[in-house]
Structures are given as structure tokens and as C-alpha cells.
Amino acid sequence: MSVVDTSIEPLAFVFADDGLVPNNPLPFLVYKGAVDVGSGHSEKTIEGLFGANGWGDMWRNGVYDYLHYHGTVHEALGIARGHARVRFGGNKGKEFEISAGDVAILPAGTGHQCLSASPDFSVVGAYPPGAKMHVTRPTPENHAKALKTIPEVKLPKSDPVLGKDGPLVRLWKSSA
């Protein structure tokens, strides 16, 4: 049995630049309940999935409780355990309830901030090959820099959940 529901389509949202958080014209994607994390090894399951799909630079933690973004790289967040309320898109963005089995994919520049989380909340983060991740706080100076770096971030060759033919590849190419 597959650890992923291969028929799943992500929810897609585009967040406007709010003057401090640049966001991205590429859609932010959320796969709800995409990964079967019932094995008792949920972090390893998500790491295996992301790694098999070419998103290899990984970490385990949560989501920072302050507003930030990454202006040099796209990011995938696989929810291994628990649940949280996270605001994506900056202060004028949208709040989402994310829980074990969900995957959020943030195009470079997408603001995010954890507003509340269960004590067992655990995330596996991953990045496609390319530049390293830098945590960027929303300031006018950082916004100006990010407007230059974000268009330089290459489109990933694969969707971290569904691979080379996954929805991310199609949705991001048509939006680029």
C-alpha cells in the first residue's frame, strides 16, 4: 500500500505582496491528508517521500511563532504529528488548520507563522536542490532584497508529494 493518496489534488492559494511580505505569484499548495502517517514512524515516512521526490535538504521541528519567509528557496512542510493553526501569506494572508498527514508547499517568499500548536506538533521541512534556506523577517529592506531573489529561484523538477508528474509541476509552470 502506498503512503500517499495519488488521486489527491492540492488546494491552491495566491497571496498578494503586502509591502513587507513579498509572497509569490506561484500558488501556495496544501495537500490535506495526503500522507498516511499511521505507521508510528511518521517523520521517517515523510522524509522518505520527500527524498524520493528530490526534496532532500530536510529538518524536523515545528513552525516558528514569528512571521518569516524564505526569499531564496521553496519549502515543503510535512505534518508528521499533531496539529496547528498557521497563518500563511503574512499578516493579510489566511489562517489554516494543518494536521498530521497534511503537506503545505510554500513558493519562495511566502510568509508563515505558527499561531498555536498541539504539544506533539512535529513537522518535516524540505527544500528542492538549489540555494540554502535563510529565515527572513519582514522589513522594508528585506522585502526589497527578496523582490530581486524570488524571481531567480528555479522551479522544482518535482512535486514533493507526487513526484515529477505531480500537480505542483503543472500548477507552477502554468503560473510562472
Side-chain angles (χ1 to χ4, degrees):
M1 164 135 173
S2 173
V3 298
V4 175
D5 176 356
T6 57
S7 68
I8 196 164
E9 278 289 323
L11 304 171
F13 303 87
V14 175
F15 301 114
D17 181 333
D18 69 9
L20 286 176
V21 175
N23 290 306
N24 198 308
L26 298 175
F28 161 75
L29 305 176
V30 180
Y31 286 97
K32 297 296 288 176
V35 184
D36 179 357
V37 291
S39 68
H41 304 287
S42 51
E43 286 88 356
K44 285 185 179 183
T45 298
I46 293 170
E47 288 166 346
L49 175 65
F50 287 172
N53 289 318
W55 290 58
D57 186 10
M58 290 182 239
W59 52 265
R60 293 182 185 185
N61 199 344
V63 176
Y64 292 133
D65 63 0
Y66 57 85
L67 179 57
H68 66 286
Y69 61 89
H70 311 295
T72 58
V73 67
H74 308 299
E75 181 174 47
L77 302 175
I79 313 309
R81 300 177 199 282
H83 58 88
R85 178 168 281 284
V86 178
R87 183 186 305 117
F88 293 100
N91 290 332
K92 296 180 182 174
K94 182 173 173 46
E95 293 181 17
F96 292 81
E97 284 290 333
I98 53 175
S99 57
D102 294 350
V103 176
I105 307 169
L106 294 69
T110 302
H112 48 297
Q113 174 183 13
C114 185
L115 303 175
S116 64
S118 62
D120 61 342
F121 184 57
S122 176
V123 176
V124 173
Y127 310 97
K132 294 295 175 203
M133 184 277 291
H134 297 282
V135 174
T136 305
R137 300 291 285 262
T139 67
E141 298 78 21
N142 287 341
H143 180 267
K145 286 180 196 168
L147 292 180
K148 293 177 180 148
T149 61
I150 291 168
E152 302 300 317
V153 179
K154 291 184 170 63
L155 292 179
K157 292 188 168 138
S158 66
D159 182 308
V161 176
L162 293 172
K164 293 191 184 306
D165 297 321
L168 174 146
V169 178
R170 179 183 74 251
L171 292 167
W172 284 13
K173 274 188 182 166
S174 67
S175 297

